[in-house]
Amino acid sequence: MEDRNQGLWFHPPAKQPNQINPVVLAYLGDAVFEMMVRQYLIAQPNHKSNHLHRLATGFVSAKAQCALLERWQPLLTEQEADIVRRGRNAKSGAPPKNANLADYRQATALECLVGYLYYEKQTERLRELMAVAFDEPAAAIGKFEEDNR
């Protein structure tokens, strides 16, 4: 009988997560990261869609993800650091016109790690890392709300 307590893991990957192409892990990690950011923002008091969108953009841009990865680096296990290296070195195409190549590669590395942790069902580890992501911007959210009153 199928386990109904699988959470969001409806379809397991065809390969072990450490054998999946890093660009594919980043593809998934991009969606997971954005979902976690949106959940966090919806947990905050202001639910105006324009406000939510602006705040989300501050988390999901290549530049923001590059800065976040720098904050995560000292916290990573050796295995996680290896996944990040694989993601950073993967050939993922040209960066968007509003991002430089270095930031884009770091953002891909972050997304690769998020996708890997998601497929490994390491939700507690994702929560720990995302708590770091939301720590500093929480003050910025408060300032943003003060500035827009």
Side-chain angles (χ1 to χ4, degrees):
M1 181 169 184
E2 183 182 333
D3 180 9
R4 295 189 186 271
N5 297 320
Q6 290 183 27
L8 293 176
W9 293 276
F10 296 117
H11 304 284
K15 299 177 183 177
Q16 292 297 315
N18 63 348
Q19 295 176 342
I20 296 174
N21 182 317
V23 174
V24 174
L25 287 174
Y27 174 74
L28 175 68
D30 176 55
V32 172
F33 185 82
E34 183 153 353
M35 181 186 68
M36 293 179 84
V37 165
R38 287 179 182 206
Q39 287 178 339
Y40 170 75
L41 294 175
I42 290 170
Q44 305 307 307
N46 188 341
H47 288 166
K48 295 177 184 169
S49 61
N50 186 38
H51 178 78
L52 291 170
H53 177 72
R54 277 197 210 161
L55 291 175
T57 302
F59 285 100
V60 301
S61 70
K63 188 173 186 171
Q65 288 179 335
C66 177
L68 177 57
L69 185 58
E70 286 180 22
R71 290 173 57 205
W72 282 2
Q73 287 286 356
L75 309 172
L76 299 180
T77 66
E78 188 57 41
Q79 184 177 21
E80 292 167 347
D82 184 54
I83 296 295
V84 166
R85 277 188 294 279
R86 287 179 54 213
R88 185 180 54 241
N89 295 332
K91 303 289 184 216
S92 57
K97 55 186 163 188
N98 62 345
N100 71 42
L101 184 59
D103 288 351
Y104 182 68
R105 287 187 181 222
Q106 290 291 88
T108 300
L110 178 139
E111 292 168 349
C112 180
L113 176 61
V114 170
Y116 172 81
L117 292 173
Y118 176 83
Y119 266 147
E120 284 289 332
K121 298 183 182 181
Q122 293 187 28
T123 54
E124 192 53 42
R125 183 61 175 151
L126 275 171
R127 278 191 197 105
E128 289 170 6
L129 291 173
M130 292 307 289
V132 171
F134 300 139
D135 180 45
E136 191 174 290
I141 290 169
K143 181 168 178 17
F144 180 89
E145 289 176 344
E146 281 180 25
D147 292 347
N148 290 297
R149 283 189 186 149

